[in-house]
Amino acid sequence: RVSGATVTFNNVSSTMSGGNRFEIASGTVAGTNTIAGAGTVNWSGGTIAASLSLQSNIALNIIGAASKYLGVGGAPGFLRSTGAATWTGAGNVYCGYPSVFENDGTFTVQNDASFSGYNGSVAFFVNNGTFRKTATTGATVFPPDLGGGMVAFNQNGTIDVENGVLSLQSQFNVNGGAVFAGPGETRMDAGTVVMNGTNTIQVGATVELAGGLWNGTNTFAGPGTFVWSGGTISAQLNLQPTVALSITGANDKLLYL
């Protein structure tokens, strides 16, 4: 358990057994490490200013009410999870430029907290697996840059919103082959969307533009719904015949190329 100290990994690979836990509660983890085997990494507070790669049998739990920091003082953090990751509790995650959180497994969100930038410029959340929101009915937020930087969401996999809303307010990048699923909503409330290629909105799922700017050349397939309640479309956006279009709400909408 890291609690108030600095632990530095020196380009090593560590192996955990099934019942073992490694917790970052406060202080700082630095260096480079791959964690293999079978076990659990708990992140309940403190700072990851390291390059950490968790192999597929390592569970990641982001827990508790304390804030967590990925990167610090100009030293970026890289956290890659290839297995099951769960984010619970009220604690926000703050990412410093140019830190990266990479999900190559399943990242399950069970809160209405935010994933924010904090020291200027852009950090990244890269979803190559499944980003799933469950349990809570409010919004999980990627906030805009309000002078403290932002976290761009790069979507290459599946977003499955089972409850509530995934609210994207900074930069949302999609390059084709992405899937939107679940009875909840993926909603762009501010910032910029750059969406290209063919992407799928599954049955019962909703993708909404409520604010901000939509760019790119994109085709939506599948039997889901695209909602336009605000913001600007400056894109070539093609909805296949099975995709429902709902233009709704009192806000002005702007369409131009």
Side-chain angles (χ1 to χ4, degrees):
R1 187 171 191 257
V2 180
S3 182
T6 297
V7 174
T8 301
F9 293 102
N10 293 311
N11 297 303
V12 297
S13 179
S14 304
T15 301
M16 301 179 71
S17 59
N20 287 346
R21 291 193 304 269
F22 175 71
E23 181 175 358
I24 305 164
S26 61
T28 301
V29 173
T32 302
N33 188 38
T34 296
I35 301 179
T40 302
V41 173
N42 290 334
W43 189 14
S44 59
T47 298
I48 296 175
S51 178
L52 296 183
S53 182
L54 311 183
Q55 293 191 349
S56 59
N57 288 326
I58 303 296
L60 171 64
N61 296 322
I62 305 173
I63 57 177
S67 297
K68 295 91 180 164
Y69 293 87
L70 184 62
V72 63
F78 174 77
L79 178 57
R80 177 174 178 258
S81 173
T82 64
T86 305
W87 181 21
T88 61
N92 296 328
V93 177
Y94 295 93
C95 297
Y97 164 81
S99 298
V100 177
F101 186 105
E102 181 176 317
N103 172 48
D104 293 342
T106 300
F107 186 83
T108 301
V109 180
Q110 297 179 337
N111 62 23
D112 295 328
S114 67
F115 214 103
S116 307
Y118 80 92
N119 72 341
S121 199
V122 183
F124 299 92
F125 185 101
V126 179
N127 180 43
N128 295 324
T130 297
F131 180 103
R132 178 172 290 129
K133 178 173 168 59
T134 67
T136 57
T137 58
T140 298
V141 180
F142 283 72
D145 184 350
L146 299 175
M150 67 179 184
V151 177
F153 193 117
N154 292 349
Q155 156 69 340
N156 304 311
T158 296
I159 292 177
D160 178 11
V161 183
E162 292 293 320
N163 294 87
V165 175
L166 172 61
S167 175
L168 300 161
Q169 303 178 18
S170 54
Q171 181 83 23
F172 185 44
N173 301 313
V174 185
N175 290 314
V179 175
F180 299 88
E185 188 174 41
T186 302
R187 189 175 70 210
M188 279 58 70
D189 287 313
T192 301
V193 179
V194 180
M195 188 171 295
N196 292 299
T198 298
N199 303 285
T200 301
I201 309 176
Q202 291 187 346
V203 62
T206 300
V207 174
E208 180 176 354
L209 177 63
L213 176 64
W214 190 294
N215 281 328
T217 301
N218 173 53
T219 295
F220 273 130
T225 301
F226 180 79
V227 175
W228 188 14
S229 61
T232 298
I233 296 176
S234 178
Q236 295 185 39
L237 177 55
N238 304 301
L239 307 182
Q240 291 189 351
T242 54
V243 177
L245 170 64
S246 175
I247 303 175
T248 185
N251 292 329
D252 291 338
K253 295 94 177 163
L254 182 61
L255 177 64
Y256 73 92
L257 288 176

